[in-house]
Amino acid sequence: MTIRFFTAGALTLALLVPAQAQSLLTGADSAEILNAARGYGAARLVEHDNGGLQITGRIEGLPYEVYFQNCDSDGNCEDLNFHLSLPELNLSAEQINDWNYRKRFGRAYLDPNGVAAIEMDLDLAHGVTAEHLDAQFGIWSMIMQQFAELAGP
């Protein structure tokens, strides 16, 4: 019987190889990010007023945007900012604070015009797998629905 010993470095390398074999998506992969968004509803890639890219979409009838943020001149963006504004929600600052206290994902606020909004960020600086990106859109979908239901029936 042969007993093999692995150093910590060798074991770490052995565990990391499968993860590194997957290709990682970055902010430059706008087409793949758009495809992930389309898995949850209608979505299109458009140019933002400031010249940057954004995705405009609908999930379960709710309109949202995903802004490509912190981009370099080659179009590689370090993060995504998911955004939903719901002018029809008449929420107080107390309700917004309660949301932020009780919910783990997404941050809600009243914009300068008093419109209820919620955002979520995704860091892409070192890339993410397609599965992770899909999971983030799943979380965003859940957050949007919960936030829209905040006003009650």
Side-chain angles (χ1 to χ4, degrees), residues 21-94:
Q22 298 179 32
S23 63
L24 298 179
L25 301 173
T26 68
D29 297 310
S30 57
E32 288 83 358
I33 295 168
L34 177 61
N35 285 335
R38 286 180 173 158
Y40 290 85
R44 63 191 177 102
L45 190 63
V46 297
E47 189 172 307
H48 190 270
D49 295 339
N50 67 7
L53 291 178
Q54 77 178 53
I55 293 172
T56 58
R58 287 189 170 275
I59 296 176
E60 301 291 327
L62 294 171
Y64 72 95
E65 297 85 30
V66 176
Y67 300 105
F68 290 73
Q69 299 284 314
N70 298 314
C71 305
D72 64 21
S73 60
D74 294 327
N76 190 18
C77 304
E78 290 186 359
D79 54 17
L80 299 177
N81 174 252
F82 294 74
H83 179 266
L84 168 68
S85 290
L86 293 174
E88 63 275 10
L89 283 184
N90 188 17
L91 300 177
S92 67
E94 183 177 284

Side-chain angles (χ1 to χ4, degrees), residues 5 14 16 28 31 36 68 77 82 87 103 110 113 116:
F5 292 95
L16 290 178
F68 290 73
C77 304
F82 294 74
K103 299 295 182 177
L110 296 175
N113 297 318

Side-chain angles (χ1 to χ4, degrees), residues 12-24 129:
T12 300
L13 181 61
L15 294 173
L16 290 178
V17 169
Q20 291 174 344
Q22 298 179 32
S23 63
L24 298 179
T129 63

